Amino acid sequence: MTIQRTDYTPYPYELPAIHLEFDLDPKCTLVHTKIDVKAKADTMTGEALILDGEAIDLRGLRIDGQSWDHYELDKDLGKLIIRSLPRACTLEIDSSCNPSSNDALMGLYVSGKSLFTQCEPEGFRRISWFADRPDVMSRFQVTLRADPDVYPILLSNGNRIHAEQLPDGRQSCVWEDPFLKPSYLFALVAGQFDCREQTVRTRSGREVLLQIYSDPGTFDRTLWAMESLIRALRWDESRFDLELDLDRFMIVVAADFNMGAMENKGLNVFNAAYVLADPETATDSNFEGIEAVIGHEYFHNWTGNRVTCRDWFQLSLKEGLTVFRDQEFTADMKAEGLDPARAASARSVKRIDDVAMLRAAQFPEDAGPMAHPIRPQSYEEISNFYTATVYEKGAEVIRMMHTLLGEEIFQLGMKEYFRRHDGQAVTCDDFVDAMQHAWQTRHPERDLTVFARWYSQAGTPSVKVTTERTSEHDQIRLTLSQQCPPVGVERNANIEKQPFHIPVLLGAINQQGESLTLQCDEQHGQTLLLELTRQSQSWLINGWTQDAAGSFLRDFSAPVRLEISQPQEALHRLARHDPNAFARWEATQILLSNAVLKLAELADDGQARTDLPESLTTSIHTLSDTFSLILQDTTLDDAYRTRLLEMPSDKYLLHQMDQMDPLAVAQAKNRLVQILARPLETALVQIVTEAQADGDDSKDVFDPSALAAGRRALVNLALDWLCQMGSTQGKALALAQYDRAGNMTARLGALLALFRHPEHDSAVLDASESFYTRFQDNALVIDKWFALQASAPTTDVAKARSLMQHPAFNRRNPNRVRALLFQFCANNPLGFHAADGSGYQFWAEQVIDLDRSNPEVAARLARVLDHWRHHRPVTQDMMQAALQSVADQSDLSPNTREVVGKALAL
Ligand code: B3K
Ligand code: ZN
């Protein structure tokens, strides 16, 4: 069933209070629900009260203490329709559910020996009958009763107001959340946990208790998470002037979790992968990811919980904004304590990572069958819309507002947003309106009317840049024109798309690599901000010398594709000299992309040609020279240097091809590294040997700072390139690093490099075996081991199947499924896209099988074939057959049906 955004109607009743009583039992949990019901003033007396419920059994229903039989239960629609109610009454419902058979991990479920809930977006209805929609907000009181031997710790949102031992030997705890909240923010947890706790004072002097609960024996691995939480709390106070509103803020770790984490009010539940870390078992990117996700969920307390969404179409209201906030948090943390120049480059590393991810995940989504605006127009299953578009593009849209308004006015807009909407469930339009109000207090002539189209139109606009010299000295006419044809469901909707409001930051540098001072209208400086609001616009820019190379879309000021033809020389110049760290990276990415795509084009049936055209060889050699300069330039941050050298992602490259050819791209990338890196071999070896001599990889005292992590990243890149080149010395260095590694970044980096070496011999296999043996008791590290094998170029379908037979493989655990199945299908071009189509058949089998237990995860795996129509005809046929075999299943979940249905139709 398709749900339309425009069909929204307010709920006819208020449900101001709910009291839930749980008799917890993994096989059969009894739930007693007591709800205060009040008809809204404009609701007709007798209008039915309609509640949602799914996979729960109804055992009894009473109104004001009396049994009531004016109700119908529609099990297919999951609705309980209660009629003839007085305008105000108390509704009591008895129901039960079975957590141990809940493999969907939505609602109340078992993970390990504990019980957890996940309610967003529509999981509360799997716990009790309720108006399970975000605009119905209630005050929750929760009573939990359970056997204390199995479930010594009983948690829910808010404050614990009572605890007692019951005569039957069980214990009971009562929790009360002082804040009104929608059902999706409800949570309960029961189990045995280690608890790390700390009290801190908020800026206004209130004392709050911070707690992190994790499986027994994992206490030592929650320190970084606690430190991250405190940093997040401080940062939200200082940058956004937002203080924690609770007396108690809890995080609980779950081994089985569909997503990264969940921001339930005062009781966040986290995937173990985003909490547990120590240097020996977690990589630097794990550490960074933990800090970011802890921040993200913490920031939701204001942007999501205090002000929530009116309906699920508004998801980006909280997600886009909160991703923007967590991105800024990470950038600020990376820059902390550095001098301004280094701080700018450290911040740009975060920007680069976010843009690379946007291009690898969101741009393709915008060009495929699931394309949707950041505020979707319709959906079949809302769980399918926790997408890169809603999250990452949503954050880009907030960032553009930040660029247009500036930090100060943006913060005034945030204040206005909370002033107007604290405690409410609102829309994206409400947010834009608050921002516009703030903008107009300083600039009455400005407005966000055109800008708001980013919320209603899908697709990645392309912006064409043309320049022509005028007769004036050092003056050009710069023309920007935009295009964004209908995508995805837009194509059937017969809509006329309107131009977007696109902020374009630009600068220019001369032949000597110096920045030019430019002037345009009232602006004057080394970077200008142009606002493209119509299909095509021109500007006269002064100070643009004859030899200028334009540096466009600095800081990636808008989520668009730039169409520009730059001479090679200009790109090489930008790659060496652009003072805007993002734009400099962009230049190296364009040069690398061009080279990979050219090599892929030249490869004939996977056999790389040896005689390359001279222009290509020259360009690669110049790039190699640029890279050599970068490798010698120790004034640059190591993390930033690593980004400058890194290859663009396969996905980004594939989407630039007329017909996608993943095998050709994988081989071309490898080939390019071999040609590029050959002249750099000495420099690369030196980077590794110096780090090894300094004992970086074996230090007892681990330095988690961004600076130290940058150095480890550069060493790993050097090892990876050396191994891809087939260097014997590189292999020896990787083996040495593997053996002596004192932290996971060094150990895994070495192992990954070894897997990329053309000689896949017993030394490599031994290293892999020893890795498994050493870490077999640590699930998160074993995930890494599975992921490594699944994405290794030597792993084909047969090997993937044999890995599924490994005793450590567990298809109920989403992390393990992601490590093996997702890595193989989405990150192993050679294995998955094998010419015989075996990868696609394997994919279909796995999607069908997973769909029976966990539709949310199955539907994500299903999206791997979104772009089947962009592949070569013979591949298309095989992919289509695989998609069809999934679509032919009669009992498919709505989640997977929507994904494969759209893939086949659009
Ligand atoms: N809000 C949660 C999303 C959970 C949805 C699961 N189907 C995570 C986050 O964005 O913080
Ligand atoms: Zn979020």
Side-chain angles (χ1 to χ4, degrees), residues 80-95:
L80 176 63
I81 304 154
I82 311 174
R83 302 196 193 276
S84 313
L85 290 177
R87 291 198 73 80
C89 60
T90 304
L91 163 66
E92 283 173 89
I93 297 174
D94 286 303
S95 60

Side-chain angles (χ1 to χ4, degrees), residues 836-864:
D836 61 1
S838 54
Y840 313 139
Q841 286 163 16
F842 175 76
W843 165 89
E845 274 171 47
Q846 301 314 321
V847 171
I848 292 167
D849 191 46
L850 260 180
D851 194 54
R852 295 193 186 108
S853 52
N854 191 332
E856 190 180 340
V857 173
R860 281 195 187 256
L861 184 61
R863 296 209 44 201
V864 165

Side-chain angles (χ1 to χ4, degrees), residues 263 296-297 300 318-319 322 391:
E263 71 265 25
H296 180 95
E297 305 311 329
H300 265 316
K318 72 178 178 83
E319 295 306 348
T322 306
Y391 276 65

Side-chain angles (χ1 to χ4, degrees), residues 23 25-31 54-57 59 95-110 115-116 126-127 812:
D23 290 290
D25 179 281
K27 289 263 175 336
C28 178
T29 286
L30 300 176
V31 186
E54 201 179 294
I56 49 178
D57 291 319
R59 298 185 167 213
S95 60
S96 62
C97 59
N98 179 353
S100 64
S101 69
N102 180 358
D103 289 345
L105 312 186
M106 184 59 90
L108 179 63
Y109 67 93
V110 176
L115 291 169
F116 291 89
R126 296 166 65 95
I127 296 172
R812 190 180 182 268

